[in-house]
Amino acid sequence: MASRGLFAALCAACLAVASAAPLRNSADCVNVDLLKVTGVNVFPTTRQISSSSVQFLQDRTTVSVAQNFEVSYYSTFKVVTNLYTFAKETYVLYQCGTAAPNPADYGLPAATKVLAVPLTAVSVQDTTVLNFMKILNVLDRVAYVTPYAVEPCMQALAGGSCNRTSDNAVADKIDGKFVGFSVKPSDPQAITFTATADPGPLNRAEYIKYVATFFNREAAANTAFNAIVSAYNANKQLAATYLSKNSAVSPLVAWIYYQPKYDSATYKAPEQVVLYFNAYRRQYVQDAGGRLHDLAALNAQYGNNNTITVSGSQLVFTDLPNTLPVLRTILASVDVVIDESFYDGKNPTQITLDDFRALYGLTDAAALTDLKFLANQRLLRLDGSANPGGTTAWFEEAVARPDIVLHDLVSAFLPNALLSIGDTVPAKLVRNMFASNPGRVVLSSAAQCPAAQATCGAPASPVCPAVYLDCQGRLTAATDSQPCAPSCSASPSNNAPNGAGGAASRAAAQPLLLVALLVAALAVLGWGL
């Protein structure tokens, strides 16, 4: 019985080895032979995130970007710090195939999380991460995903036969999870993602570099971000030039949202309507050639410190039966309204102009002529792309692609500006409720995912290290034409994918280890093979 108990224990060990972590592609990792090279740096400057505020310090480079995160590079690991006040966390990301550093040795917080990169299989609970990962070409490293995803292959992963939703994520099957603003110090896999806390559209887009650090895709992030900034600034300049050349008046814009009454044991809020004036919305309007009301002036004229009040960067209306007439007065001179409201029980394809008018008390015939934005048919919504369940791509794509958002807004605010340069590209995320088909929402579905990409979390393609040993054993920097180590026949000790060192070899050797353990168990029992 004792020997059978030992056999059971060894089999349990086999299972533990098999499920301890997701199987890594060995080509992700550096080889032990590479680490013997004096002064080797597996994160050369060409593969670090770029920033205008780079500081070179002895053995590292400190890079601060956007406003709420920074990265420090060492020779075999990097330290990523989320600086957002309500979600501060520090991550040590070490190149797989190298030794995990001790955060205490570098004066880092005790709660610092240590992760081997590139991450192999992640759970994504926050849709805003997905488009960043798509741009970086690492969506194949998503093993579990939010069911609110709009990207077709992510819908396929979450639904149907895969059923890989983030709520069902198995810790042993992933090595990281993006959890949005949730701070989970006790969860070593949890990674906060707070892009939407940064105030400006381009600030938020720069979080592609934050995501990139977890996948060693910084070079791709730099290239993509520069392209996004260039496209954004081109549309911004186009709007400014058009207004100047045509002596045109910037359209007056209002961002509006209806919030139904909320009443729970922990939180209560009355029914209300909000006009938004926060930084990123204001920036979008200005850069697209528009303008907003002056919040302080509105408050001075209409505020009463009771049912019409300023809350941060919002003008809030409660007691709607009595305050909606004031809202109507404010909206009378507005050229463009952007409605962000949800309509209970309706997905974007079902929302109509009549729904909007009913929600804001504008059902009378006079509203269609007295209110400029209705008379001139410029009522916008942010649901131009969605999934069949009604979740819009605005939450998934707008943060990563402010250039697309600005293009959409310029086409709505100053359509002739785009036509003047022959740009007839249709809006993608923003739609006009007065279009020929108000239900003109482009739906994405799992059926649109190419069969080869509907993998239910199959092993990902490699993200090879930035440096490797060539077939003559020389230290070589990866290039676009040779991103991975060449396949060499001379020696099994050459670098990945044929190498045999570090975490790469450990991952590849797991099946052999299982066999060895099983053989040992059978030998103890005298069963033999």
Side-chain angles (χ1 to χ4, degrees):
M1 292 295 292
S3 61
R4 291 188 180 276
L6 176 59
F7 174 72
L10 286 169
C11 285
C14 295
L15 293 174
V17 171
S19 62
L23 185 63
R24 179 183 290 281
N25 190 315
S26 62
D28 282 351
C29 304
V30 297
N31 181 268
V32 289
D33 288 346
L34 177 71
L35 300 179
K36 297 175 183 177
V37 178
T38 302
V40 67
N41 181 357
V42 301
F43 301 120
T45 55
T46 55
R47 296 300 183 93
Q48 297 178 8
I49 61 175
S50 61
S51 169
S52 59
S53 54
V54 176
Q55 297 180 27
F56 293 95
L57 310 170
Q58 296 182 352
D59 61 345
R60 61 175 170 166
T61 304
T62 300
V63 185
S64 298
V65 293
Q67 290 188 14
N68 287 326
F69 76 94
E70 66 180 15
V71 184
S72 298
Y73 287 92
Y74 294 75
S75 59
T76 60
F77 67 93
K78 46 197 166 185
V79 179
V80 178
T81 305
N82 187 322
L83 302 171
Y84 180 55
T85 303
F86 302 105
K88 285 187 175 180
E89 280 201 322
T90 302
Y91 313 93
V92 168
L93 310 180
Y94 69 96
Q95 171 65 52
C96 67
T98 70
N102 180 2
D105 293 342
Y106 299 87
L108 297 173
T112 296
K113 298 175 182 180
V114 181
L115 302 166
V117 293
L119 295 178
T120 299
V122 300
S123 171
V124 178
Q125 299 177 11
D126 185 342
T127 58
T128 57
V129 179
L130 291 175
N131 204 256
F132 288 111
M133 292 186 67
K134 183 174 184 176
I135 297 170
L136 294 171
N137 198 28
V138 290
L139 272 184
D140 60 355
R141 294 185 177 238
V142 179
Y144 298 87
V145 69
T146 168
Y148 300 108
V150 176
E151 201 283 329
C153 291
M154 294 297 97
Q155 289 188 52
L157 183 63
S161 59
C162 292
N163 194 30
R164 291 263 190 147
T165 65
S166 51
D167 291 339
N168 297 327
V170 179
D172 288 346
K173 301 295 184 182
I174 60 175
D175 52 6
K177 60 177 74 167
F178 288 96
V179 295
F181 281 75
S182 300
V183 181
K184 300 181 179 181
S186 62
D187 186 342
Q189 296 179 328
I191 303 163
T192 59
F193 186 72
T194 56
T196 54
D198 247 295
L202 293 178
N203 295 59
R204 296 171 173 213
E206 199 165 20
Y207 274 75
I208 191 173
K209 299 177 183 179
Y210 178 89
V211 177
T213 62
F214 292 89
F215 300 98
N216 290 348
R217 294 286 288 163
E218 286 96 324
N222 293 334
T223 299
F225 180 69
N226 290 340
I228 288 168
V229 171
S230 179
Y232 185 97
N233 286 335
N235 282 312
K236 175 181 176 180
Q237 184 59 49
L238 175 66
T241 300
Y242 178 83
L243 288 170
S244 176
K245 284 186 175 180
N246 294 278
S247 300
V249 176
S250 296
L252 184 60
V253 180
W255 297 73
I256 192 169
Y257 175 72
Y258 168 82
Q259 173 66 55
K261 179 180 179 180
Y262 192 90
D263 191 348
S264 72
T266 57
Y267 179 74
K268 299 181 186 298
E271 179 186 36
Q272 57 190 267
V273 169
V274 175
L275 291 179
Y276 288 120
F277 296 86
N278 56 312
Y280 91 91
R281 290 182 175 90
R282 182 179 297 278
Q283 191 70 57
Y284 269 136
V285 169
Q286 291 175 349
D287 292 348
R291 58 194 172 93
L292 294 176
H293 283 103
D294 181 273
L295 176 58
L298 285 182
N299 186 46
Q301 184 172 2
Y302 300 108
N304 58 20
N305 294 317
N306 184 13
T307 57
I308 303 176
T309 61
V310 170
S311 176
S313 55
Q314 304 172 356
L315 187 63
V316 181
F317 297 78
T318 55
D319 185 22
L320 298 187
N322 292 312
T323 59
L324 281 180
V326 177
L327 175 65
R328 179 172 178 149
T329 299
I330 294 172
L331 294 180
S333 59
V334 169
D335 298 290
V336 182
V337 165
I338 303 173
D339 175 35
E340 296 192 56
S341 302
F342 295 96
Y343 291 79
D344 191 32
K346 292 193 173 186
N347 67 38
T349 62
Q350 299 169 320
I351 298 170
T352 67
L353 176 62
D354 287 341
D355 292 324
F356 170 83
R357 294 177 65 192
L359 190 64
Y360 293 101
L362 304 174
T363 55
D364 57 295
L368 293 173
T369 55
D370 294 349
L371 300 176
K372 287 180 67 176
F373 74 95
L374 291 179
N376 295 328
Q377 301 188 350
R378 292 209 281 180
L379 171 63
L380 310 181
R381 284 188 53 79
L382 308 178
D383 54 10
S385 299
N387 65 21
T391 301
T392 72
W394 177 263
F395 301 101
E396 185 170 316
E397 192 167 349
V399 178
R401 295 298 305 273
D403 56 318
I404 291 177
V405 175
L406 191 63
H407 180 276
D408 286 2
L409 292 178
V410 171
S411 70
F413 295 178
L414 306 169
N416 290 331
L418 290 173
L419 292 175
S420 70
I421 61 168
D423 186 341
T424 58
V425 176
K428 183 178 183 181
L429 301 175
V430 179
R431 67 176 176 126
N432 189 336
M433 290 295 289
F434 282 95
S436 57
N437 176 7
R440 186 186 53 81
V441 178
V442 177
L443 292 180
S444 298
S445 69
Q448 295 169 325
C449 178
Q453 297 177 32
T455 58
C456 291
S461 57
V463 177
C464 296
V467 292
Y468 57 81
L469 296 181
D470 66 12
C471 295
Q472 285 71 48
R474 295 171 301 197
L475 184 65
T476 305
T479 63
D480 290 340
S481 59
Q482 184 67 57
C484 300
S487 178
C488 305
S489 58
S491 169
S493 64
N494 283 328
N495 192 44
N498 294 328
S505 62
R506 289 195 295 274
Q510 277 191 354
L512 294 177
L513 178 58
L514 294 177
V515 171
L517 287 171
L518 184 56
V519 168
L522 294 175
V524 169
L525 293 175
W527 289 0
L529 287 177

